[in-house]
Amino acid sequence: CLLPIFLPKLKIKSRLLSALSMYLGVFVGFFPLLFFEKLHNFAWTKSIWDYLTFGQHRFYVPVRWLTDITIFWPERLSHVLFGIPNLGWLLAALSLIGIVVAYKKRKIDIFSLIVFFVLALEVFSIRNYKGPRSPEYLIFTHFFMLYLVAFSTANLLSLIKFGKNIALGLGLITILFVIATYHPRTNAPEIIALSKTIPAEFEKVNILVYPNSFEIANSFYYLLWRENKVSRSGPIIVVCDNHTPGDALHNQCPKEQVIGESGRFVLLLPVNMQNVKLERINPETYYMRTYNNYELKKY
């Protein structure tokens, strides 16, 4: 937010006007979200407040500085740039060396200092974040890591002849490579495919959820609900998540009752499940499992 104040070759008045213009643009951009919040009783704002006051204590996520510096951030670097975990240490080492070279040659400009300062704040804040570090939550760090590697590479290549041209070429190639190879992981194709395995004679179904399977059940229920294929009076089907190899719950779904499957997700008939605690899914269940449910239930 303070970046316009540090714009070079501008008078203080021009910098302040640039900053005010940016703040106005931020307000205009966020106004629809604020209006949406107002219409929905500030549900998202309440969920953030709930996390700060209570939600962060719902679960324990083990973190330590040694793991963050030696594993987490190198892996993030490699994931964002190339998706090859073994390159993480190499990228981290090159970035550190590049910054040292730039410091000795006095080539760290004010913009780069601000970027590195913000990146350092992100490292400290994520280290103290008490919650799951899912990749989709960390998209805001991508720019800073890309800039860090690009800045360091450019300074290293500037040590040799034609280094700047080589750095520019490698930078363009890297950007094109990242764009071409980055495919965010989603369960949507498997869930859609699973919905098509429902027997044709089941016009509307009553959905129950196998234990530890709510990750798929919410999306599956919503998909069928939109298509008007959900009814309490319909035949019962059970949604089950087999989880991934290496997980303690891998292959938890009983094979005898399978009527359809797609990837790790399975549809079952409720046969011989008297001793299994099946849960019903409905709009209230949705609400009860979200972070803005503090008025109804505490986990």
Side-chain angles (χ1 to χ4, degrees), residues 36 72 86 174 181 188 195 212:
F36 179 88
F72 177 74
N86 294 334
T174 300
T181 59
S195 69
N212 302 299

Side-chain angles (χ1 to χ4, degrees), residues 59 74 82 86-87 91 110 144 146 167-168 170 183 201 297:
F59 38 75
F82 300 107
N86 294 334
L87 286 179
L91 292 171
I110 185 66
F144 300 94
L146 287 169
L168 179 60
L170 287 177
H183 300 287
E201 61 270 21
K297 178 180 179 181

Side-chain angles (χ1 to χ4, degrees), residues 99-268:
I99 290 178
V100 172
V101 170
Y103 175 76
K104 288 188 175 182
K105 297 178 67 175
R106 300 181 182 275
K107 285 191 174 181
I108 303 182
D109 57 282
I110 185 66
F111 179 82
S112 299
L113 281 176
I114 294 173
V115 171
F116 297 151
F117 176 73
V118 174
L119 178 59
L121 287 179
E122 291 176 353
V123 171
F124 277 91
S125 62
I126 292 174
R127 164 62 180 80
N128 294 287
Y129 169 63
K130 298 178 181 179
R133 299 182 178 186
S134 300
E136 61 271 19
Y137 297 160
L138 302 171
I139 293 176
F140 66 92
T141 65
H142 288 194
F143 161 76
F144 300 94
M145 289 187 285
L146 287 169
Y147 187 89
L148 171 66
V149 175
F151 177 87
S152 303
T153 303
N155 279 282
L156 288 174
L157 291 177
S158 66
L159 298 175
I160 61 176
K161 195 175 182 179
F162 306 115
K164 292 184 178 180
N165 293 332
I166 295 174
L168 179 60
L170 287 177
L172 291 174
I173 292 173
T174 300
I175 292 173
L176 293 175
F177 182 83
V178 171
I179 293 174
T181 59
Y182 180 71
H183 300 287
R185 172 69 178 134
T186 173
N187 293 325
E190 287 88 348
I191 293 173
I192 294 173
L194 186 67
S195 69
K196 296 179 180 179
T197 65
I198 298 175
E201 61 270 21
F202 291 4
E203 295 183 5
K204 294 187 177 183
V205 293
N206 187 4
I207 302 174
L208 297 181
V209 186
Y210 202 81
N212 302 299
S213 301
F214 263 95
E215 181 177 349
I216 171 193
N218 290 332
S219 301
F220 186 76
Y221 177 91
Y222 181 66
L223 176 65
L224 295 184
W225 176 80
R226 286 189 60 184
E227 297 176 353
N228 195 27
K229 294 182 179 179
V230 176
S231 173
R232 286 285 186 93
S233 60
I236 297 175
I237 61 172
V238 180
V239 186
C240 186
D241 185 349
N242 255 333
H243 296 270
T244 54
D247 193 305
L249 296 172
H250 183 48
N251 283 330
Q252 70 160 347
C253 307
K255 298 180 180 179
E256 297 78 12
Q257 290 85 21
V258 174
I259 60 173
E261 57 184 312
S262 176
R264 58 187 266 197
F265 305 126
V266 180
L267 286 185
L268 307 169

Side-chain angles (χ1 to χ4, degrees), residues 46-61 128-132 289-294 297-299:
K46 289 179 179 178
S47 71
I48 295 175
W49 178 252
D50 176 57
Y51 167 78
L52 293 174
T53 57
F54 177 81
Q56 59 182 314
H57 306 298
R58 284 191 178 102
F59 38 75
Y60 171 70
V61 179
N128 294 287
Y129 169 63
K130 298 178 181 179
R289 297 185 68 87
T290 57
Y291 281 144
N292 59 347
N293 64 356
Y294 57 93
K297 178 180 179 181
K298 292 289 187 183
Y299 288 94

